[in-house]
Amino acid sequence: MTGMTTSPTTTPAPDGTHPVLHATGVTMRFGGLTAVRSVDLAVHPREIVGLIGPNGAGKTTFFNCLTGLYTPTEGTVTYRDTVLPPKPHLVTQAGIARTFQNIRLFANMTVLENVLVGRHTRTKEGLFSALLRGPGFKKAERESTRRAMELLDFTGLADKADHLSRNLPYGEQRKLEIARALASDPGLLLLDEPTAGMNPQETRATEALVRAIRDQGIAVLVIEHDMRFIFNLCDRVAVLVQGEKLTEGTSDAVQADERVIAAYLGTPFEGAPGQEELAEVEAAEAQADARADLTEDTP
């Protein structure tokens, strides 16, 4: 992916809406290893789409291709018909926000400060204004604080605004990461295993929160291992197996697909890579993640 250029017109949904996200032929190779192969996926406005698959299916690698952490070897990713640049901060500016499988909060910042960090892509005040703390900066600071408190109220964390994030219970840390992602005012939110480690009550609360996010007009794409959560929540579900999209459809259709059942039971298909090859892909992904962590804030 290079530069921001207009993409070909994408296929509208049955209701006539065009996708907010359209991934076409996305392939990600690490050396000679292919982690994701020719995956197509669209997410439409006000839609919740689930992405599922057994371990090693390439789900997080595909997420990383969508959000600029990886540059796909082949294929394109467009947001509102514009090809996304391969830089995470530019993807965020364009209107896509995400959470991570491993929580990435600033442990020694307060809950409010963590959400304010998420506002920086929407703050127009420059360096000199911030240094001089002039009227423009103070006005922007007040507006950012007001919006951050709105999001904390929305996620049920307003009474914890002054707490250090490291002192929050695990489920509330997950909520805080979602609040911080929402602070960038996205049109599409990507959630990477938002209920991992949660108890049933916390999972139900997260399900209600994701629906409330959708009701605010934000499209959602979610990876999750909790099948009950996914099938209760999502309008549509796509299944990745060994880096390829096996099927896509409604929750009922996907649950009834024998190929999906076989994949989760570990039944291999023709040409499936072995455990050694999967381990090599995972090692290559880890190296790519380490490099991405060093460069993701570099303009």
Side-chain angles (χ1 to χ4, degrees):
M1 296 188 296
T2 57
M4 296 187 73
T5 58
T6 302
S7 71
T9 302
T10 52
T11 303
D15 64 359
T17 61
H18 281 260
V20 290
L21 176 78
H22 196 233
T24 307
V26 170
T27 296
M28 186 68 207
R29 297 190 185 93
F30 299 99
L33 305 169
T34 302
V36 174
R37 187 190 305 274
S38 299
V39 174
D40 297 337
L41 186 70
V43 182
H44 291 85
R46 303 180 71 90
E47 184 179 37
I48 303 174
V49 176
L51 187 63
I52 67 172
N55 290 333
K59 302 183 297 296
T60 295
T61 297
F62 182 62
F63 253 40
N64 289 342
C65 291
L66 300 181
T67 55
L69 281 173
Y70 299 165
T71 301
T73 310
E74 297 172 13
T76 58
V77 180
T78 64
Y79 177 75
R80 300 192 187 281
D81 290 339
T82 299
V83 176
L84 289 169
K87 291 283 187 181
H89 71 284
L90 295 178
V91 171
T92 302
Q93 287 178 12
I96 296 178
R98 74 169 291 179
T99 65
F100 290 85
Q101 183 176 349
N102 300 314
I103 294 174
R104 296 189 179 185
L105 296 175
F106 295 99
N108 293 319
M109 286 186 179
T110 67
V111 167
L112 176 60
E113 288 168 343
N114 267 275
V115 180
L116 287 171
V117 168
R119 287 293 299 169
H120 78 278
T121 58
R122 296 293 178 249
T123 301
K124 296 182 174 59
E125 297 303 308
L127 173 63
F128 288 107
S129 178
L131 292 174
L132 296 173
R133 300 185 68 83
F137 172 79
K138 291 178 180 178
K139 180 180 179 182
E141 189 176 42
R142 286 194 300 271
E143 173 58 24
S144 290
T145 300
R146 182 197 65 77
R147 177 59 178 153
M149 287 304 302
E150 277 185 357
L151 290 169
L152 289 178
D153 185 57
F154 176 70
T155 53
L157 296 174
D159 62 336
K160 304 286 182 71
D162 295 328
H163 293 212
L164 290 179
S165 67
R166 70 184 182 201
N167 294 332
L168 292 182
Y170 183 84
E172 291 186 347
Q173 289 187 22
R174 285 281 181 191
K175 285 185 177 181
L176 177 54
E177 196 174 35
I178 291 173
R180 188 176 64 182
L182 292 173
S184 65
D185 294 335
L188 172 67
L189 177 64
L190 277 61
L191 302 174
D192 193 347
E193 298 200 23
T195 70
M198 287 187 176
N199 62 41
Q201 183 178 357
E202 291 170 332
T203 297
R204 288 193 297 271
T206 300
E207 185 178 326
L209 177 59
V210 175
R211 285 201 175 97
I213 291 168
R214 185 269 312 278
D215 291 345
Q216 291 198 342
I218 300 170
V220 180
L221 177 60
V222 55
I223 293 174
E224 186 53 70
H225 278 105
D226 185 333
M227 293 298 97
R228 180 177 296 179
F229 174 80
I230 283 287
F231 292 137
N232 284 341
L233 177 69
C234 296
D235 302 303
R236 188 160 43 88
V237 178
V239 184
L240 289 189
V241 176
Q242 310 294 8
E244 299 183 44
K245 189 169 78 173
L246 178 66
T247 189
E248 177 182 342
T250 65
S251 293
D252 288 344
V254 168
Q255 288 181 84
D257 193 317
E258 292 183 357
R259 295 171 301 165
V260 176
I261 298 169
Y264 272 92
L265 291 175
T267 305
F269 60 89
E270 185 177 353
Q275 290 302 312
E276 185 175 337
E277 290 172 279
L278 290 176
E280 289 177 350
V281 169
E282 290 174 357
E285 288 175 341
Q287 291 177 1
D289 286 344
R291 290 194 297 271
D293 286 341
L294 292 174
T295 61
E296 66 177 316
D297 293 325
T298 303

